[in-house]
């Protein structure tokens, strides 16, 4: 592997999370893996998480919709749904996101960029949540994307507490 | 839990928490060490206290602020759990990308 595949993440404001990750494949292919249902099904709910994927549908085009339904085994399923607002294969993907079944959650906006770097793809995903309360709800629902930097800061503190 | 995170997300408050791990301090001491005005320090301490991260203790004629470890430990465990979800997903995606590359090569033959 030309570069380490470490998930980096950062909370940019009380409503925004940014995650970056490098993948050893061309931007077009990585982009397809985030937008085509048959590919998403093959990685989005890995077995070792104990999460069951019940439904996964996408219309991979500008203005298309998507729907992911999933949940921990033995619990009621939850779902994400939204619309692709920008759709430039291998470069940029912007989509709305609603979390069901919480009607109060409002709508989030996710902006993903894909850049050819070191023979692979540097992916950057920025999630803008409707409010910090929604961010809280999303985090507690497993949508959170890492926060490695905060964790590193915290782990530096913990031994001394 | 989120209160802990929100409280720490502000850089000055994170610095206060870092300072307090060295021991309890008064508002004035915190302000002097971190070059912050006293009203600002008080405001940040209120948020930290609400999140359960600090507690006030009387010391002689003064009030000192002391760090509480429990919320930090809980937050750390909680974040770690969800970070693992995305790590696991991205690892699965790495494997898929290798498989797709193989399928492509195989298909060409």
């Amino acid at each position: 592997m030309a570069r380490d595949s470490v998930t980096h993440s950062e909370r940019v404001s009380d409503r925004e999370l940014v995650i970056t990750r490098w993948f050893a494949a061309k931007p077009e292919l990585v982009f397809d893996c985030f937008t085509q249902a048959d590919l998403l099904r093959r990685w989005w709910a890995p077995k070792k998480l104990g999460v069951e994927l019940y439904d996964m549908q996408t219309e991979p085009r500008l203005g298309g919709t998507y729907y992911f339904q999933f949940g921990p085994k033995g619990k009621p399923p939850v779902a994400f749904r939204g619309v692709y607002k920008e759709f430039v294969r291998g470069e940029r993907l912007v989509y709305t996101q609603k979390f069901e079944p919480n009607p109060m959650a409002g709508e989030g906006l996710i902006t993903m960029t894909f850049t050819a770097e070191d023979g692979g793809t540097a992916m950057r995903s920025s999630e803008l949540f409707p409010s910090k309360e929604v961010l809280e709800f999303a985090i507690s629902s497993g949508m959170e994307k890492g926060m490695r930097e905060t964790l590193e800061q915290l782990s530096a503190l913990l031994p001394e507490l | 839990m989120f209160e802990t995170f929100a409280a720490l997300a502000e850089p000055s408050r994170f610095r206060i928490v870092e300072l307090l791990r060295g021991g309890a301090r008064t508002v004035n001491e915190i302000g002097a060490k971190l070059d912050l005005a006293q009203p600002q320090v008080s405001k940040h301490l209120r948020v930290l206290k609400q999140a359960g991260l600090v507690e006030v203790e009387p010391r002689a004629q003064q009030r000192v602020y002391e760090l509480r470890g429990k919320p930090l430990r809980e937050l750390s465990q909680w974040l770690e759990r969800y970070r693992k979800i995305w790590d696991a997903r991205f690892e699965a995606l790495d494997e898929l990308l290798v498989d797709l590359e193989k399928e492509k090569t195989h298909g060409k033959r």
Side-chain angles (χ1 to χ4, degrees):
Chain A
M1 210 161 271
R3 190 167 148 181
D4 73 74
S5 293
V6 177
T7 306
H8 295 279
S9 64
E10 195 181 347
R11 184 167 185 181
V12 183
S13 74
D14 67 352
R15 290 178 51 208
E16 191 178 6
L17 285 173
V18 169
I19 187 163
T20 52
R21 177 69 148 74
W22 183 87
F23 295 101
K26 288 196 166 66
E28 289 77 14
L29 187 59
V30 177
F31 184 92
D32 289 349
C33 285
F34 277 91
T35 51
Q36 295 195 7
D38 57 341
L39 295 176
L40 276 163
R41 276 184 211 114
R42 291 169 65 177
W43 70 270
W44 200 80
K47 285 207 168 61
K48 70 180 196 186
L49 288 182
V51 172
E52 205 74 38
L53 189 62
Y54 300 109
D55 199 1
M56 168 73 75
Q57 290 176 41
T58 65
E59 296 169 335
R61 57 176 167 79
L62 182 64
T65 62
Y66 69 89
Y67 182 73
F68 298 4
Q69 193 192 45
F70 61 100
K73 275 175 192 143
K75 294 204 174 160
V78 291
F80 290 131
R81 81 163 68 237
V83 178
Y84 299 117
K85 294 288 189 186
E86 288 182 46
F87 197 96
V88 186
R89 185 172 177 242
E91 290 179 25
R92 188 175 165 87
L93 180 70
V94 180
Y95 57 97
T96 61
Q97 185 163 70
K98 272 189 179 176
F99 187 77
E100 293 175 353
N102 184 11
M104 301 302 284
E107 201 167 73
L109 188 70
I110 292 100
T111 301
M112 297 181 79
T113 57
F114 304 83
T115 315
E117 251 177 49
D118 299 332
T121 301
M123 185 276 290
R124 181 184 194 272
S125 173
S126 153
E127 302 206 13
L128 189 65
F129 292 82
S131 69
K132 67 176 192 176
E133 287 75 19
V134 175
L135 176 57
E136 169 188 20
F137 189 80
I139 288 171
S140 68
S141 309
M143 199 169 138
E144 192 270 337
K145 299 204 171 188
M147 301 186 186
R148 182 180 289 277
E149 289 180 10
T150 303
L151 273 177
E152 278 171 5
Q153 289 177 317
L154 278 174
S155 58
L157 283 178
L158 292 173
E160 299 178 43
L161 293 171
Chain B
M1 189 61 65
F2 182 69
E3 258 193 337
T4 310
F5 191 80
L8 288 171
E10 206 287 320
S12 294
R13 287 199 289 269
F14 197 89
R15 286 168 63 214
I16 292 174
V17 169
E18 279 183 307
L19 178 68
L20 291 182
R21 79 188 183 188
R25 307 253 181 183
T26 65
V27 174
N28 288 339
E29 285 167 351
I30 295 167
K33 281 271 179 193
L34 301 181
D35 201 20
L36 292 169
Q38 193 255 324
Q40 268 179 291
V41 175
S42 297
K43 198 182 74 188
H44 288 316
L45 284 170
R46 254 200 314 278
V47 178
L48 290 171
K49 190 167 179 286
Q50 211 163 27
L53 281 159
V54 301
E55 240 176 42
V56 198
E57 297 286 339
R59 187 178 70 186
Q61 304 301 316
Q62 296 177 308
R63 285 148 56 86
V64 294
Y65 288 83
E66 208 171 42
L67 198 60
R68 311 275 300 164
K70 193 165 169 269
L72 284 176
R73 279 191 293 271
E74 284 171 359
L75 176 69
S76 171
Q77 287 161 5
W78 179 68
L79 289 175
E80 179 61 16
R81 216 166 56 232
Y82 292 108
R83 188 182 62 74
K84 277 183 179 156
I85 290 177
W86 278 98
D87 268 356
R89 272 186 190 149
F90 288 149
E91 270 169 31
L93 177 53
D94 285 335
E95 284 166 23
L96 172 62
L97 290 167
V98 171
D99 288 350
L100 291 173
E101 210 56 50
K102 278 187 202 148
E103 285 167 27
K104 206 170 74 185
T105 314
H106 187 73
K108 274 181 190 165
R109 277 173 195 158

